[in-house]
Amino acid sequence: MIYILIIVILFVCELAYFAIADKYNIIDKPNLRSSHTSITLRGGGIIFLIGTWIWAAFFGLQYGWFMAGLTLVGMISFIDDIHPLDNKIRLLGQFAAMMMLFANLGFYNAIGWWMVIPALIVCVGILNAFNFMDGINGITGGYALSVIIPIIYLNQKMQFINMPFLIVTAISLLVFCFFNFRKKAKCFAGDVGSVSIAVIVIFGLGRLIMATKDPVYLLFIAVYGADSILTIVHRIMLHENLGVAHRKHAYQLMANELKIPHVFVSLLYTGLQLAVSFGLILCIRYEWLYFIAVVFLLALIYILFIKSKYYLHEEYLKNQ
């Protein structure tokens, strides 16, 4: 009954936000980077942040530092959705949030001080990868579910994180997907959504890795990782400014140049990540062999796809 009540509350909160966003013109206008063509409400992903507050209200505030960091970076991102902020402010907030998150991971007591800076850089990189990959209907909500679901599955056996926290997160994702995972989205996640869910995913994944002392579980975000890292490498090879918006991710080529429906592309990324994650769970005895094989295959798929289809994006650029 508690979860049913939470579902109702989250739907009401999302609909209330739509009214606020519509009144105050919090919208996403198409630009050169966009994969959509119509004006849509922005910031619907604030439901992920609201979901964690609701979880704390019903089940108790168990991860105070994590909640503080999530709220900080969520609010900064929401302000950025309304009025663009300087990159330095966003990055400062992100690093501060990760430092607070580390406290509830037990990270500072488990590793040497010399590992903190590299870990911060990696986590902020993951956070921004989620933000950059938020470009088509359904991909943020669907992909986040593909990460949360295997974490829930393993948590039933290991109990490394509060289970209601994971369940409420999954519910908030499903509520968001109801409005976003469709041909014509009612809303977009906005930076507040993509950044907030990234922090939540990093926390859940971090709790798993700290409990098992096994970094191989980074494969739970391997699909996003392959697309993000290899796209950066590709742009470096093209001598592009990495700070400039672009449409070179593999999913963007599929949605824009190949005209594959957004929902199908999002389902492809979601399904592929679920397959990779549960494949790891099934092959855990050969985890590092599996890890190497998956990384190699994802990289190979990306390279072959870009080699065969990138010319379409070049043609698009020439016509701009």
Side-chain angles (χ1 to χ4, degrees):
M1 288 301 297
I2 290 178
Y3 292 122
I4 293 174
L5 178 59
I6 289 174
I7 291 172
V8 172
I9 293 172
L10 286 171
F11 265 108
V12 170
C13 288
E14 189 74 305
L15 291 172
Y17 173 74
F18 291 164
I20 294 170
D22 188 51
K23 180 177 180 179
Y24 292 99
N25 206 34
I26 307 174
I27 58 175
D28 196 311
K29 296 180 179 179
N31 54 45
L32 290 177
R33 179 183 177 272
S34 301
S35 297
H36 63 284
T37 56
S38 59
I39 295 175
T40 307
L41 295 177
R42 174 189 288 184
I46 198 171
I47 198 69
F48 309 142
L49 181 57
I50 294 172
T52 60
W53 293 339
I54 291 174
W55 160 75
F58 276 90
F59 297 98
L61 183 59
Q62 299 187 38
Y63 308 118
W65 283 111
F66 159 74
M67 288 292 294
L70 174 63
T71 302
L72 170 66
V73 77
M75 290 297 96
I76 290 174
S77 299
F78 184 61
I79 293 170
D80 189 48
D81 281 330
I82 300 172
H83 180 77
L85 296 174
D86 188 280
N87 286 335
K88 294 178 182 177
I89 297 176
R90 294 204 303 268
L91 282 174
L92 183 63
Q94 290 169 9
F95 274 101
M98 289 301 104
M99 291 181 70
M100 286 187 268
L101 180 150
F102 284 0
N104 280 147
L105 290 180
F107 201 62
Y108 298 119
N109 296 326
I111 65 168
W113 62 268
W114 52 274
M115 279 290 293
V116 173
I117 298 300
L120 281 172
I121 293 172
V122 169
C123 287
V124 170
I126 293 171
L127 189 156
N128 281 287
F130 268 75
N131 194 17
F132 296 150
M133 292 292 289
D134 177 35
I136 60 173
N137 299 355
I139 197 165
T140 292
Y143 190 82
L145 275 171
S146 77
V147 181
I148 293 297
I149 288 171
I151 291 177
I152 289 175
Y153 175 82
L154 289 177
N155 194 54
Q156 290 178 320
K157 300 179 179 181
M158 301 182 193
Q159 297 181 351
F160 51 86
I161 192 171
N162 180 261
M163 183 62 88
F165 168 75
L166 296 176
I167 294 174
V168 173
T169 296
I171 290 172
S172 67
L173 284 165
L174 289 170
V175 170
F176 174 72
C177 284
F178 178 81
F179 296 104
N180 176 260
F181 208 134
R182 53 174 74 177
K183 183 177 180 180
K184 183 173 176 55
K186 172 68 176 178
C187 69
F188 294 146
D191 284 357
V192 63
S194 57
V195 169
S196 294
I197 197 60
V199 174
I200 293 169
V201 164
I202 291 169
F203 184 62
L205 195 55
R207 296 282 296 190
L208 172 58
I209 291 172
M210 293 300 293
T212 60
K213 303 295 188 293
D214 197 346
V216 76
Y217 288 106
L218 286 172
L219 277 184
F220 280 14
I221 52 172
V223 176
Y224 260 22
D227 196 328
S228 299
I229 293 171
L230 292 175
T231 298
I232 290 173
V233 172
H234 185 205
R235 296 191 69 200
I236 290 173
M237 292 171 63
L238 294 173
H239 305 290
E240 291 187 357
N241 181 350
L242 298 181
V244 176
H246 67 95
R247 293 194 347 180
K248 291 181 172 62
H249 284 291
Y251 80 87
Q252 290 171 320
L253 291 178
M254 294 179 195
N256 299 320
E257 279 70 29
L258 295 179
K259 307 300 180 185
I260 300 174
H262 288 199
V263 171
F264 183 84
V265 176
S266 296
L267 283 172
L268 176 63
Y269 273 66
T270 300
L272 183 57
Q273 184 58 67
L274 281 171
V276 168
S277 298
F278 280 102
L280 172 62
I281 293 171
L282 291 173
C283 301
I284 197 65
R285 291 180 60 185
Y286 310 99
E287 58 182 30
W288 286 109
L289 179 61
Y290 181 83
F291 183 95
I292 293 169
V294 167
V295 170
F296 174 78
L297 285 174
L298 288 176
L300 181 62
I301 292 170
Y302 175 91
I303 292 169
L304 291 176
F305 176 75
I306 294 299
K307 277 186 170 293
S308 64
K309 304 300 180 184
Y310 185 70
Y311 76 93
L312 295 172
H313 184 66
E314 291 177 324
E315 292 176 358
Y316 160 77
L317 292 176
K318 289 178 182 177
N319 293 327
Q320 294 305 302

Short mmCIF file of all heavy atoms in Angstrom, two decimals, residues 291-319:
data_model
loop_
_atom_site.label_atom_id
_atom_site.label_comp_id
_atom_site.label_asym_id
_atom_site.label_seq_id
_atom_site.Cartn_x
_atom_site.Cartn_y
_atom_site.Cartn_z
N PHE A 291 34.31 -9.27 -18.98
CA PHE A 291 34.51 -7.83 -19.03
C PHE A 291 35.28 -7.43 -20.29
O PHE A 291 34.86 -6.53 -21.03
CB PHE A 291 35.30 -7.38 -17.79
CG PHE A 291 35.51 -5.89 -17.69
CD1 PHE A 291 34.65 -5.11 -16.95
CD2 PHE A 291 36.58 -5.27 -18.32
CE1 PHE A 291 34.83 -3.73 -16.85
CE2 PHE A 291 36.78 -3.91 -18.23
CZ PHE A 291 35.91 -3.14 -17.50
N ILE A 292 36.39 -8.10 -20.54
CA ILE A 292 37.22 -7.79 -21.71
C ILE A 292 36.44 -8.04 -23.01
O ILE A 292 36.48 -7.23 -23.95
CB ILE A 292 38.51 -8.63 -21.69
CG1 ILE A 292 39.39 -8.21 -20.52
CG2 ILE A 292 39.28 -8.49 -23.00
CD1 ILE A 292 40.56 -9.14 -20.24
N ALA A 293 35.70 -9.16 -23.05
CA ALA A 293 34.94 -9.50 -24.25
C ALA A 293 33.86 -8.45 -24.53
O ALA A 293 33.69 -8.02 -25.69
CB ALA A 293 34.30 -10.87 -24.09
N VAL A 294 33.15 -8.00 -23.49
CA VAL A 294 32.09 -7.01 -23.67
C VAL A 294 32.65 -5.67 -24.12
O VAL A 294 32.13 -5.04 -25.06
CB VAL A 294 31.28 -6.83 -22.36
CG1 VAL A 294 30.39 -5.59 -22.44
CG2 VAL A 294 30.43 -8.06 -22.10
N VAL A 295 33.72 -5.22 -23.48
CA VAL A 295 34.34 -3.95 -23.85
C VAL A 295 34.81 -3.99 -25.30
O VAL A 295 34.60 -3.05 -26.08
CB VAL A 295 35.51 -3.61 -22.91
CG1 VAL A 295 36.31 -2.42 -23.44
CG2 VAL A 295 35.00 -3.32 -21.51
N PHE A 296 35.44 -5.11 -25.68
CA PHE A 296 35.91 -5.25 -27.06
C PHE A 296 34.76 -5.24 -28.05
O PHE A 296 34.81 -4.54 -29.08
CB PHE A 296 36.70 -6.56 -27.20
CG PHE A 296 37.12 -6.87 -28.61
CD1 PHE A 296 38.21 -6.23 -29.19
CD2 PHE A 296 36.41 -7.79 -29.37
CE1 PHE A 296 38.59 -6.51 -30.50
CE2 PHE A 296 36.77 -8.08 -30.68
CZ PHE A 296 37.87 -7.43 -31.24
N LEU A 297 33.69 -5.98 -27.76
CA LEU A 297 32.56 -6.07 -28.68
C LEU A 297 31.83 -4.73 -28.82
O LEU A 297 31.47 -4.32 -29.93
CB LEU A 297 31.59 -7.16 -28.22
CG LEU A 297 32.04 -8.60 -28.47
CD1 LEU A 297 31.06 -9.58 -27.83
CD2 LEU A 297 32.16 -8.88 -29.97
N LEU A 298 31.62 -4.04 -27.70
CA LEU A 298 30.95 -2.74 -27.76
C LEU A 298 31.77 -1.73 -28.55
O LEU A 298 31.23 -0.96 -29.35
CB LEU A 298 30.68 -2.21 -26.34
CG LEU A 298 29.60 -2.92 -25.54
CD1 LEU A 298 29.51 -2.35 -24.13
CD2 LEU A 298 28.23 -2.83 -26.23
N ALA A 299 33.08 -1.74 -28.33
CA ALA A 299 33.96 -0.83 -29.08
C ALA A 299 33.93 -1.16 -30.56
O ALA A 299 33.88 -0.26 -31.42
CB ALA A 299 35.38 -0.91 -28.53
N LEU A 300 33.96 -2.45 -30.88
CA LEU A 300 33.95 -2.88 -32.28
C LEU A 300 32.64 -2.48 -32.96
O LEU A 300 32.65 -1.97 -34.09
CB LEU A 300 34.14 -4.40 -32.36
CG LEU A 300 34.17 -5.00 -33.77
CD1 LEU A 300 35.35 -4.45 -34.56
CD2 LEU A 300 34.23 -6.53 -33.69
N ILE A 301 31.53 -2.70 -32.28
CA ILE A 301 30.21 -2.33 -32.83
C ILE A 301 30.16 -0.83 -33.10
O ILE A 301 29.69 -0.38 -34.15
CB ILE A 301 29.09 -2.76 -31.88
CG1 ILE A 301 28.97 -4.28 -31.83
CG2 ILE A 301 27.76 -2.14 -32.30
CD1 ILE A 301 28.07 -4.80 -30.74
N TYR A 302 30.64 -0.04 -32.13
CA TYR A 302 30.62 1.42 -32.29
C TYR A 302 31.47 1.84 -33.49
O TYR A 302 31.02 2.63 -34.33
CB TYR A 302 31.15 2.09 -31.02
CG TYR A 302 31.27 3.59 -31.13
CD1 TYR A 302 30.21 4.42 -30.77
CD2 TYR A 302 32.43 4.19 -31.63
CE1 TYR A 302 30.31 5.80 -30.90
CE2 TYR A 302 32.53 5.57 -31.77
CZ TYR A 302 31.47 6.37 -31.39
OH TYR A 302 31.58 7.73 -31.54
N ILE A 303 32.68 1.33 -33.58
CA ILE A 303 33.60 1.72 -34.65
C ILE A 303 33.04 1.35 -36.03
O ILE A 303 33.06 2.16 -36.96
CB ILE A 303 34.99 1.07 -34.44
CG1 ILE A 303 35.66 1.69 -33.20
CG2 ILE A 303 35.88 1.26 -35.67
CD1 ILE A 303 36.90 0.94 -32.74
N LEU A 304 32.51 0.14 -36.14
CA LEU A 304 31.96 -0.30 -37.42
C LEU A 304 30.74 0.54 -37.81
O LEU A 304 30.56 0.90 -38.98
CB LEU A 304 31.57 -1.78 -37.35
CG LEU A 304 32.74 -2.77 -37.24
CD1 LEU A 304 32.22 -4.19 -37.09
CD2 LEU A 304 33.66 -2.66 -38.46
N PHE A 305 29.92 0.87 -36.82
CA PHE A 305 28.73 1.68 -37.09
C PHE A 305 29.12 3.08 -37.55
O PHE A 305 28.59 3.59 -38.55
CB PHE A 305 27.86 1.76 -35.83
CG PHE A 305 26.66 2.66 -35.99
CD1 PHE A 305 25.57 2.24 -36.73
CD2 PHE A 305 26.63 3.92 -35.40
CE1 PHE A 305 24.47 3.06 -36.90
CE2 PHE A 305 25.54 4.75 -35.57
CZ PHE A 305 24.44 4.32 -36.31
N ILE A 306 30.05 3.71 -36.85
CA ILE A 306 30.48 5.06 -37.21
C ILE A 306 31.15 5.07 -38.57
O ILE A 306 30.92 5.98 -39.40
CB ILE A 306 31.43 5.64 -36.13
CG1 ILE A 306 30.68 5.84 -34.81
CG2 ILE A 306 32.03 6.97 -36.59
CD1 ILE A 306 29.52 6.81 -34.88
N LYS A 307 31.98 4.08 -38.84
CA LYS A 307 32.66 4.01 -40.14
C LYS A 307 31.67 3.89 -41.29
O LYS A 307 31.90 4.44 -42.38
CB LYS A 307 33.64 2.83 -40.16
CG LYS A 307 35.01 3.13 -39.53
CD LYS A 307 35.95 1.97 -39.74
CE LYS A 307 37.36 2.34 -39.34
NZ LYS A 307 37.95 3.35 -40.23
N SER A 308 30.58 3.20 -41.06
CA SER A 308 29.63 2.96 -42.15
C SER A 308 28.57 4.06 -42.28
O SER A 308 28.03 4.26 -43.37
CB SER A 308 28.94 1.60 -41.95
OG SER A 308 28.17 1.61 -40.77
N LYS A 309 28.29 4.79 -41.19
CA LYS A 309 27.17 5.74 -41.22
C LYS A 309 27.56 7.20 -40.99
O LYS A 309 26.72 8.09 -41.20
CB LYS A 309 26.12 5.34 -40.17
CG LYS A 309 25.59 3.92 -40.34
CD LYS A 309 24.92 3.72 -41.70
CE LYS A 309 24.38 2.30 -41.84
NZ LYS A 309 23.81 2.05 -43.20
N TYR A 310 28.79 7.47 -40.57
CA TYR A 310 29.13 8.85 -40.21
C TYR A 310 29.06 9.80 -41.40
O TYR A 310 28.82 11.00 -41.22
CB TYR A 310 30.53 8.92 -39.57
CG TYR A 310 30.87 10.30 -39.08
CD1 TYR A 310 30.22 10.84 -37.97
CD2 TYR A 310 31.81 11.10 -39.75
CE1 TYR A 310 30.50 12.11 -37.53
CE2 TYR A 310 32.09 12.38 -39.30
CZ TYR A 310 31.44 12.88 -38.19
OH TYR A 310 31.71 14.15 -37.76
N TYR A 311 29.23 9.30 -42.60
CA TYR A 311 29.16 10.16 -43.78
C TYR A 311 27.81 10.87 -43.88
O TYR A 311 27.71 11.98 -44.43
CB TYR A 311 29.43 9.33 -45.05
CG TYR A 311 28.27 8.48 -45.50
CD1 TYR A 311 27.33 8.96 -46.43
CD2 TYR A 311 28.09 7.20 -44.99
CE1 TYR A 311 26.26 8.18 -46.83
CE2 TYR A 311 27.03 6.41 -45.39
CZ TYR A 311 26.11 6.90 -46.31
OH TYR A 311 25.06 6.14 -46.71
N LEU A 312 26.77 10.25 -43.32
CA LEU A 312 25.45 10.88 -43.34
C LEU A 312 25.44 12.14 -42.49
O LEU A 312 24.80 13.13 -42.85
CB LEU A 312 24.40 9.89 -42.82
CG LEU A 312 24.16 8.64 -43.66
CD1 LEU A 312 23.25 7.67 -42.92
CD2 LEU A 312 23.56 9.02 -45.01
N HIS A 313 26.17 12.10 -41.38
CA HIS A 313 26.26 13.29 -40.52
C HIS A 313 27.08 14.38 -41.21
O HIS A 313 26.76 15.57 -41.09
CB HIS A 313 26.89 12.93 -39.18
CG HIS A 313 26.93 14.08 -38.21
ND1 HIS A 313 25.80 14.65 -37.68
CD2 HIS A 313 27.98 14.78 -37.69
CE1 HIS A 313 26.14 15.64 -36.87
NE2 HIS A 313 27.45 15.75 -36.87
N GLU A 314 28.11 13.99 -41.93
CA GLU A 314 28.91 14.97 -42.67
C GLU A 314 28.06 15.67 -43.72
O GLU A 314 28.19 16.88 -43.93
CB GLU A 314 30.11 14.27 -43.31
CG GLU A 314 31.14 13.78 -42.28
CD GLU A 314 32.29 13.05 -42.95
OE1 GLU A 314 32.05 12.32 -43.96
OE2 GLU A 314 33.44 13.19 -42.48
N GLU A 315 27.19 14.91 -44.37
CA GLU A 315 26.28 15.50 -45.35
C GLU A 315 25.31 16.47 -44.69
O GLU A 315 25.00 17.55 -45.22
CB GLU A 315 25.51 14.40 -46.08
CG GLU A 315 26.38 13.53 -46.99
CD GLU A 315 25.60 12.41 -47.62
OE1 GLU A 315 24.39 12.27 -47.32
OE2 GLU A 315 26.19 11.64 -48.41
N TYR A 316 24.85 16.12 -43.51
CA TYR A 316 23.96 17.00 -42.74
C TYR A 316 24.66 18.30 -42.41
O TYR A 316 24.08 19.40 -42.56
CB TYR A 316 23.51 16.29 -41.46
CG TYR A 316 23.01 17.21 -40.37
CD1 TYR A 316 21.75 17.79 -40.43
CD2 TYR A 316 23.85 17.54 -39.30
CE1 TYR A 316 21.31 18.65 -39.44
CE2 TYR A 316 23.41 18.40 -38.30
CZ TYR A 316 22.16 18.95 -38.37
OH TYR A 316 21.73 19.82 -37.39
N LEU A 317 25.93 18.22 -41.98
CA LEU A 317 26.69 19.44 -41.63
C LEU A 317 26.90 20.34 -42.83
O LEU A 317 26.87 21.56 -42.72
CB LEU A 317 28.04 19.04 -41.01
CG LEU A 317 27.98 18.36 -39.64
CD1 LEU A 317 29.38 17.93 -39.21
CD2 LEU A 317 27.36 19.27 -38.60
N LYS A 318 27.12 19.74 -43.99
CA LYS A 318 27.34 20.54 -45.20
C LYS A 318 26.11 21.33 -45.59
O LYS A 318 26.20 22.40 -46.19
CB LYS A 318 27.75 19.62 -46.35
CG LYS A 318 29.14 19.02 -46.21
CD LYS A 318 29.46 18.09 -47.36
CE LYS A 318 30.82 17.46 -47.21
NZ LYS A 318 31.13 16.48 -48.30
N ASN A 319 24.94 20.80 -45.25
CA ASN A 319 23.70 21.45 -45.64
C ASN A 319 23.21 22.49 -44.65
O ASN A 319 22.19 23.13 -44.87
CB ASN A 319 22.60 20.38 -45.81
CG ASN A 319 22.90 19.46 -46.98
OD1 ASN A 319 23.48 19.88 -47.98
ND2 ASN A 319 22.50 18.20 -46.86
#
